[in-house]
Amino acid sequence: MKSISKFIALFVVLLTVSVFETGSAMEFQIPAQELKLDNGLVVIVVERPGTGVFSSYIVTAVGSANEKPGSIGAAHFLEHMLFKGTKSIGTKDYVAEQELMDKQDSLWNRIDQARQQSRYIKLAGDEGAYQKHLNWVSQMEALLDSLIADEALYVVKNEYEELYTRRGAVGFNASTGYDFTDYIVSLPANQLHTWFVMEADRMKNPVLREFYPEREVVLEERRLRIDNEGEGKLFEQFIGTAFIAHPYQLMWEWKSDQGNIKREALKKFHHQFYAPNRTVIGLVGDIKFSDVEAFAKKYWSDIPRQPEPDPIYTVEPKQLGERRVDVNFDASPALYIGFHKGAFDDPDEAAFVVLDRILADGRSSRLYKSLVIGQQLCSNIGTEAFPGAEQGDLYPSLYIISAYPKDGVDSRIVETAIYEELAKLSTVPVSARELQKARNNIQADFIWDAYDNDGLAQKLAQYQSTARDWRYMLTRMEQIEKLTPDALQSVAAKYFTKENRTVATLVPIVRADATEGGE
Amino acid sequence: MQSRFALRAITVGVIVILVFALVSESSAQDPRKIVAPELELSAPTPEQFALENGLRVVFLQSSELPVVRMTLMFPGGSVSEAADLAGVSGITANLLRTGGAGSLKAEEIDERLDFLGASISSTAGGDNHKLTLRCLKKDLAEVFDLFSLILREPVLDSAKLALEVSNKSDEIRRQYDSPTGATRTLFYRTVFGDMLYGRYPTLESVASISGQSVKFTYNRVYTPSRGILAVSGDLTRKELEDLLNTSVGSWKGTRILQRPIPVVPSEEDLPKSGVYYAYKDISQTSIRLGHLTQLFDSPDRHAVRIMNYVVGVGFAGRLTAKIRSEAGLAYSVGGYFVNRPTYGSYFAYCQTKAEATGQALQMIVDVLSEAKENGITQKEFARAKESILNSFVFEYETPHQVAQAVAESVFYGFPSEQTALDLEALKSVTLADCNRVAKEYYRVEDFRIVVVGDTAQMDQPLSDFGVVTEISLEVE
């Protein structure tokens, strides 16, 4: 019986760019080829002969939106742990190492249970018993520390990464989003075989070693990006205010969750979500499709498909009025304004792509021209979507304007100036030239996206993961071509309303020494 | 008008070969045993020529995508600014792009570029000024016209200068908001003093920047005979020559002014080794330590690169292995040599929870002292050398990268085939070379240790690491 059926097709994407002023036209091609295995794995390949290198971009259909209470932080923490090696890479003795990890985990479970008991033992009022309990906990913590130190006996430190870098890898990294988790690396062109073996091994046999130190590393990452950065803090509160139900509301794992997550929870998460039917691979560079096909069959076809996990049923309820939040922090003023909008396949999504270009792409865009160059209210202004995948997000998302008021400018003034620009979009149709300008930029970027191997691999893999067909990037271009000024105006009027917006303001903490001399 | 194009020596072609020892095929599932086929890459060699006015051009044709990129570099930058005008090079560079040019208002230029989805950017770095262009091939004539106009006839003295000064002042007021940003700035100020890469604009210095000082900077920096232009993309040599001839080829610039010369620090002008501490109410301490180096054109730089790869670079580097993987004390930790003309610097850094500050700082110092004392092992050396040599193909990944590498080599006074020479030099580095340079270039006793955080939350006094000097994060 044939175990693999495959579907291969060569799709040459033709993009006709028509130019408004000169009437000249050009064609642009992406010669992408597609491979699908029986277990659901999809690989999209663009051959670029002669460059000596290739980039890989793996998108796994899992992100922090898939976390549930009890495993908050699992997606990001697991992403870190998937750099720790496998049953055969990163260890001197996997069996002994596994035994040690089991001991660590059962001890952690006992410590965890004992900590939960602490408040009741304290309430009981027997000070001696309480002290004894606390002493026992700290003894067990010391014991856990020594079991963690024992791991050094078995761990071959960072061997997984070393195997890649010795073979010339660059840009070995990963990132965790809300809908997807991405794994990337670029290699010399002769390392395709190694790449397939390494990534199949990571999918099949990951070992979550050095678990407890890495749990702390993730907390340091939080302290770095969120806790001690004004914009990080502001953004976290902003997102938590804009979303009250949908899992997009958790910008980052909370310290209290992350510090207590269990290895078992990560293993379960991995088993459930990391599977070939939830994986898309983009490969772009100096490689041959026939080699990709042979290696994919050989190393990936035996990885079993997993049943679809529970869908995310939670729908963010309609916002009923403006929401505002202040964050006091030792940093300069900043302002975020967010408007709820749809998911990637919402009929209004193409209009948002164009409206965004009109508002904030380039020095001649409306917000920049008005607030930075004209009224000079802020030194910079930007827009983004949240979670913000280029192709749109799986669930209804947020359109965000961020501004940095200049010294002495009240952020309310900046806010008002922004609303004035949004009101113009809602009441006056954009000119044909302005619409064409946005289209020209979108088309130019479509071509520039193919400049780097990793950028193209990313785009192909992300579109495929989101829309389950990478050619959706062309559908999007067609939707944009069809947009009219009237359609843009009605989308602006529908979304840029007071009741649909959330406003977050960073209010600088006035330091004590700066107020001396006051009352 | 026909310009004369002098063809300069063509660089040698480079072949990068990756070879792995042959091991039996029996265990193909073990990535350690996979034999990679040889990889031969004929690196493309850009063409080089010079215009009559002295502007040097490096050109690499590539027709895969219908796009063109250009990067034009001039010597200058913040290292050659007078202290009381710190910030003038950046503001001058910005004004080229934002002030208008010829008879065109700034807003017209913005509109025309944006309409085409093209970009021209103008920036000043530490030791250079750059003007870049990015556009679709079909728009090249129009975009290059604007590029040429911006270069030759920028309007520098207008209300736009006040806007640039105001935006720069805003940036200065925000410079210590981020703990890691503050640490970086304080580190360079401490290592270089108020010179070279340690000189930062202040509210006072940018307020004194006048139209006259901007014009002077423009005249001094933007001179064709000192410039080098890297071009790559979908056009022929002939098309490029015609394009350049119609505009930039006849540009004379101002030849009378002396080229910018950086002020080089002498030891006694610099802050002494020790701890430089700035208070910030944060739960994670930010640390950066290091010292000056002079490696830019030193033959030792190749051995230093391999040696430091073992100690400070990547996950497998000793600093990360010890402080992140084993101790869980930091998300981001590492150590790097930054090689610049005149002086560069070495720095190691990490961010760790306040209560682990002393522990993490001691670990960094210990790792570097150990490397200085005992060097690296044969095994580590082999891993680092293989990693660096095998990733060398990425130096040739995109056409513009190749053209720019040649342009930068020439710009900084190296042979144009320097990238290939670097490869040969790296191949010949030995373990003994690495262990010799480890002793010389990790100057533990010279460390300037910059710490931003809250000593009240820290596990040990900073005075354990040297004489402590307090710095204020108030922006004046």
Side-chain angles (χ1 to χ4, degrees):
Chain A
M1 198 184 82
K2 234 179 129 195
S3 65
I4 298 170
S5 70
K6 61 182 178 0
F7 169 67
I8 306 171
L10 174 72
F11 292 102
V12 178
V13 174
L14 281 177
L15 173 73
T16 306
V17 180
S18 24
V19 178
F20 179 71
E21 279 188 326
T22 61
S24 69
M26 51 178 281
E27 284 179 347
F28 174 64
Q29 306 183 344
I30 300 175
Q33 302 176 71
E34 188 178 297
L35 170 72
K36 284 183 180 166
L37 298 188
D38 266 357
N39 59 12
L41 179 75
V42 178
V43 190
I44 302 158
V45 182
V46 176
E47 295 181 358
R48 276 186 154 160
T51 53
V53 295
F54 75 97
S55 292
S56 66
Y57 202 97
I58 303 179
V59 177
T60 314
V62 60
S64 44
N66 299 104
E67 295 164 352
K68 298 216 162 72
S71 69
I72 298 297
H76 178 226
F77 188 12
L78 180 59
E79 174 240 290
H80 275 234
M81 295 308 294
L82 291 182
F83 285 74
K84 295 291 186 184
T86 66
K87 287 177 186 168
S88 58
I89 301 172
T91 188
K92 291 174 197 154
D93 181 349
Y94 171 63
V95 177
E97 190 188 12
Q98 186 57 55
E99 251 176 59
L100 178 62
M101 287 190 283
D102 290 344
K103 272 190 209 162
Q104 292 171 348
D105 293 349
S106 69
L107 184 55
W108 168 257
N109 288 343
R110 289 175 66 196
I111 293 170
D112 188 29
Q113 283 161 17
R115 283 180 180 171
Q116 306 307 321
Q117 290 303 315
S118 296
R119 63 196 293 194
Y120 298 106
I121 297 171
K122 191 177 182 185
L123 270 181
D126 179 346
E127 185 57 29
Y130 182 55
Q131 276 312 322
K132 202 177 149 197
H133 174 75
L134 292 183
N135 288 342
W136 184 85
V137 170
S138 40
Q139 276 169 27
M140 290 304 108
E141 284 169 347
L143 185 56
L144 179 59
D145 282 345
S146 76
L147 290 181
I148 292 167
D150 286 348
E151 260 195 279
L153 296 171
Y154 309 113
V155 173
V156 182
K157 228 166 248 313
N158 300 307
E159 189 184 16
Y160 193 84
E161 195 228 13
E162 190 182 316
L163 279 170
Y164 264 142
T165 49
R166 271 192 107 125
R167 287 166 180 262
V170 300
F172 181 47
N173 212 335
S175 70
T176 307
Y178 292 81
D179 302 330
F180 300 106
T181 305
D182 304 346
Y183 294 85
I184 55 178
V185 65
S186 297
L187 284 158
N190 60 348
Q191 301 298 338
L192 185 66
H193 186 180
T194 305
W195 181 86
F196 267 102
V197 172
M198 293 276 288
E199 293 302 332
D201 195 25
R202 170 146 79 159
M203 176 70 88
K204 285 191 253 189
N205 306 305
V207 174
L208 311 186
R209 54 175 63 90
E210 297 180 309
F211 175 87
Y212 294 93
E214 196 64 26
R215 198 163 73 175
E216 297 301 313
V217 168
V218 175
L219 285 175
E220 289 295 350
E221 189 179 356
R222 182 188 159 86
R223 287 187 193 102
L224 178 69
R225 296 188 197 271
I226 310 288
D227 289 340
N228 296 295
E229 283 286 342
E231 282 195 60
K233 265 274 194 264
L234 179 65
F235 203 79
E236 184 174 61
Q237 295 286 320
F238 170 60
I239 294 304
T241 305
F243 291 95
I244 60 169
H246 191 270
Y248 283 167
Q249 69 181 274
L250 273 181
M251 150 102 184
W252 199 273
E253 59 282 339
W254 298 103
K255 188 179 167 188
S256 41
D257 284 312
Q258 171 61 28
N260 290 293
I261 200 161
K262 294 186 170 76
R263 181 154 30 203
E264 203 47 45
L266 293 199
K267 282 187 185 166
K268 217 174 125 192
F269 202 77
H270 182 269
H271 181 75
Q272 193 176 11
F273 291 105
Y274 281 73
N277 50 309
R278 305 184 65 75
T279 303
V280 173
I281 298 171
L283 288 170
V284 177
D286 195 356
I287 50 175
K288 288 200 179 69
F289 183 75
S290 54
D291 290 341
V292 169
E293 194 188 352
F295 289 136
K297 270 190 204 176
K298 188 168 176 190
Y299 297 112
W300 281 71
S301 60
D302 64 337
I303 308 178
R305 174 190 278 279
Q306 295 298 329
E308 286 296 316
D310 290 343
I312 295 170
Y313 291 114
T314 313
V315 175
E316 181 66 24
K318 189 175 160 56
Q319 189 168 328
L320 300 174
E322 186 188 48
R323 294 181 193 150
R324 304 188 72 93
V325 60
D326 279 354
V327 172
N328 300 316
F329 200 79
D330 179 15
S332 309
L335 170 71
Y336 286 117
I337 304 171
F339 298 92
H340 290 281
K341 70 177 184 72
F344 79 96
D345 51 346
D346 188 286
D348 293 332
E349 193 67 0
F352 257 103
V353 171
V354 172
L355 286 170
D356 181 49
R357 297 283 181 161
I358 290 171
L359 279 170
D361 187 20
R363 296 177 54 85
S364 71
S365 64
R366 291 190 179 192
L367 288 175
Y368 196 92
K369 201 172 166 181
S370 166
L371 277 87
V372 180
I373 300 178
Q375 302 178 68
Q376 307 191 2
L377 298 174
C378 42
S379 53
N380 207 352
I381 191 158
T383 58
E384 63 194 294
F386 174 88
E390 186 212 307
Q391 67 280 7
D393 300 296
L394 281 188
Y395 305 98
S397 58
L398 209 61
Y399 181 73
I400 300 168
I401 298 168
S402 52
Y404 306 90
K406 277 190 176 172
D407 190 39
V409 176
D410 192 301
S411 76
R412 289 279 184 162
I413 309 230
V414 177
E415 232 188 295
T416 308
I418 291 169
Y419 299 149
E420 277 168 15
E421 285 304 323
L422 297 179
K424 276 184 214 160
L425 279 178
S426 310
T427 49
V428 185
V430 301
S431 69
R433 187 183 155 90
E434 207 173 6
L435 176 54
Q436 190 58 44
K437 178 164 89 171
R439 283 185 182 135
N440 289 349
N441 277 279
I442 291 163
Q443 287 165 347
D445 284 353
F446 193 91
I447 292 169
W448 282 108
D449 285 346
Y451 193 79
D452 295 304
N453 290 337
D454 53 352
L456 184 55
Q458 171 179 5
K459 188 170 167 178
L460 290 163
Q462 287 185 339
Y463 267 95
Q464 176 68 34
S465 305
T466 301
R468 303 199 176 165
D469 183 356
W470 59 271
R471 280 152 294 194
Y472 192 73
M473 64 176 76
L474 298 176
T475 310
R476 174 57 50 75
M477 298 298 275
E478 285 159 15
Q479 292 165 347
I480 288 168
E481 273 308 304
K482 285 183 193 139
L483 283 171
T484 62
D486 286 348
L488 289 174
Q489 186 187 341
S490 66
V491 169
K494 178 174 163 191
Y495 292 92
F496 295 144
T497 65
K498 186 176 178 188
E499 48 275 22
N500 189 36
R501 80 184 174 222
T502 301
V503 182
T505 315
L506 191 149
V507 182
I509 291 174
V510 181
R511 277 185 292 260
D513 52 345
T515 56
E516 273 170 14
E519 290 188 312
Chain B
M1 191 195 83
Q2 186 74 41
S3 276
R4 183 180 56 83
F5 291 92
L7 187 69
R8 290 178 43 137
I10 302 261
T11 58
V12 294
V14 183
I15 309 290
V16 181
I17 303 173
L18 290 101
V19 188
F20 279 91
L22 284 159
V23 185
S24 82
E25 269 285 2
S26 61
S27 177
Q29 296 272 10
D30 183 348
R32 282 162 289 223
K33 294 183 178 160
I34 293 173
V35 181
E38 274 192 8
L39 172 68
E40 287 198 19
L41 175 73
S42 304
T45 307
E47 296 177 52
Q48 292 183 60
F49 55 92
L51 305 187
E52 243 180 15
N53 60 11
L55 184 79
R56 290 157 296 174
V57 182
V58 178
F59 168 57
L60 184 60
Q61 186 176 352
S62 161
S63 45
E64 194 199 3
L65 294 179
V67 297
V68 176
R69 290 179 66 174
M70 296 190 186
T71 305
L72 174 58
M73 283 172 84
F74 298 97
S78 58
V79 294
S80 43
E81 291 170 344
D84 56 354
L85 288 175
V88 71
S89 50
I91 285 181
T92 305
N94 285 355
L95 273 170
L96 254 67
R97 175 63 187 81
T98 66
S103 61
L104 289 181
K105 284 208 162 62
E107 286 75 9
E108 292 173 70
I109 294 174
D110 294 343
E111 180 59 34
R112 285 173 63 176
L113 286 174
D114 285 353
F115 186 77
L116 299 173
S119 74
I120 293 176
S121 78
S122 173
T123 53
D127 52 42
N128 63 57
H129 287 236
K130 276 185 189 167
L131 197 61
T132 68
L133 171 155
R134 235 176 74 126
C135 70
L136 299 184
K137 174 191 168 68
K138 68 183 177 56
D139 303 322
L140 181 60
E142 183 174 354
V143 177
F144 189 77
D145 253 2
L146 293 170
F147 183 89
S148 166
L149 195 66
I150 281 170
L151 176 65
R152 300 175 55 172
E153 298 174 48
V155 178
L156 299 168
D157 192 4
S158 70
K160 293 289 191 280
L161 171 59
L163 176 57
E164 288 302 332
V165 168
S166 153
N167 285 346
K168 189 72 202 176
S169 304
D170 198 63
E171 194 186 313
I172 293 168
R173 285 191 192 93
R174 291 172 181 270
Q175 69 183 328
Y176 298 135
D177 283 359
S178 155
T180 48
T183 311
R184 185 170 49 240
T185 303
L186 295 183
F187 175 75
Y188 287 116
R189 280 194 170 150
T190 306
V191 167
F192 287 97
D194 183 26
M195 279 162 284
L196 293 178
Y197 306 101
R199 176 169 292 165
Y200 288 83
T202 62
L203 291 175
E204 196 186 350
S205 75
V206 296
S208 4
I209 293 169
S210 65
Q212 200 187 358
S213 52
V214 167
K215 274 184 197 156
F216 177 78
T217 305
Y218 168 76
N219 285 333
R220 198 171 68 151
V221 171
Y222 297 85
T223 301
S225 59
R226 293 181 195 146
I228 185 156
L229 175 69
V231 182
S232 69
D234 191 8
L235 77 172
T236 63
R237 166 83 176 262
K238 173 78 171 52
E239 284 170 327
L240 175 61
E241 287 181 10
D242 289 347
L243 197 66
L244 293 171
N245 273 331
T246 55
S247 51
V248 173
S250 60
W251 173 47
K252 294 283 177 278
T254 314
R255 287 162 189 270
I256 43 166
L257 292 165
Q258 198 192 19
R259 68 187 291 143
I261 295 181
V263 183
V264 177
S266 68
E267 279 290 326
E268 57 266 32
D269 298 331
L270 296 174
K272 303 285 171 264
S273 60
V275 179
Y276 292 82
Y277 163 69
Y279 166 76
K280 204 169 170 68
D281 180 16
I282 46 180
S283 62
Q284 186 183 54
T285 307
S286 178
I287 300 167
R288 189 183 274 242
L289 55 85
H291 51 64
L292 288 181
T293 59
Q294 267 181 305
L295 272 168
F296 191 65
D297 48 8
S298 157
D300 283 346
R301 67 187 189 278
H302 307 293
V304 167
R305 182 169 169 193
I306 293 176
M307 180 271 298
N308 188 59
Y309 189 92
V310 170
V311 177
V313 179
F315 273 90
R318 288 185 184 180
L319 283 172
T320 300
K322 180 90 188 153
I323 294 164
R324 174 174 164 152
S325 308
E326 195 176 309
L329 287 181
Y331 168 67
S332 182
V333 50
Y336 297 91
F337 286 85
V338 184
N339 302 340
R340 309 290 292 264
T342 61
Y343 283 92
S345 58
Y346 170 74
F347 73 89
Y349 76 98
C350 86
Q351 303 90 18
T352 190
K353 59 190 169 204
E355 60 271 29
T357 304
Q359 193 191 349
L361 181 50
Q362 190 62 54
M363 278 183 176
I364 295 180
V365 173
D366 288 349
V367 165
L368 299 176
S369 304
E370 153 71 19
K372 181 186 177 73
E373 188 89 358
N374 301 319
I376 57 177
T377 65
Q378 174 61 41
K379 207 177 145 198
E380 289 175 313
F381 167 74
R383 170 183 77 82
K385 192 168 170 179
E386 259 179 49
S387 301
I388 291 171
L389 293 180
N390 285 337
S391 65
F392 215 82
V393 271
F394 287 96
E395 302 286 334
Y396 305 95
E397 192 176 2
T398 69
H400 203 63
Q401 208 181 341
V402 175
Q404 241 182 315
V406 171
E408 282 188 23
S409 295
V410 175
F411 183 83
Y412 287 113
F414 294 102
S416 59
E417 68 275 22
Q418 188 57 43
T419 310
L421 297 174
D422 283 346
L423 178 63
E424 291 313 309
L426 283 163
K427 281 181 186 167
S428 68
V429 170
T430 64
L431 174 61
D433 294 333
C434 287
N435 289 341
R436 175 180 60 79
V437 297
K439 287 204 190 312
E440 193 173 337
Y441 291 94
Y442 289 133
R443 302 204 319 268
V444 178
E445 62 289 351
D446 283 345
F447 281 162
R448 275 74 174 161
I449 302 171
V450 172
V451 178
V452 175
D454 178 11
T455 44
Q457 302 175 52
M458 292 179 195
D459 54 342
Q460 69 185 90
L462 290 173
S463 54
D464 290 358
F465 299 91
V467 177
V468 180
T469 308
E470 274 211 50
I471 320 173
S472 163
L473 292 184
E474 289 297 316
V475 177
E476 280 143 32

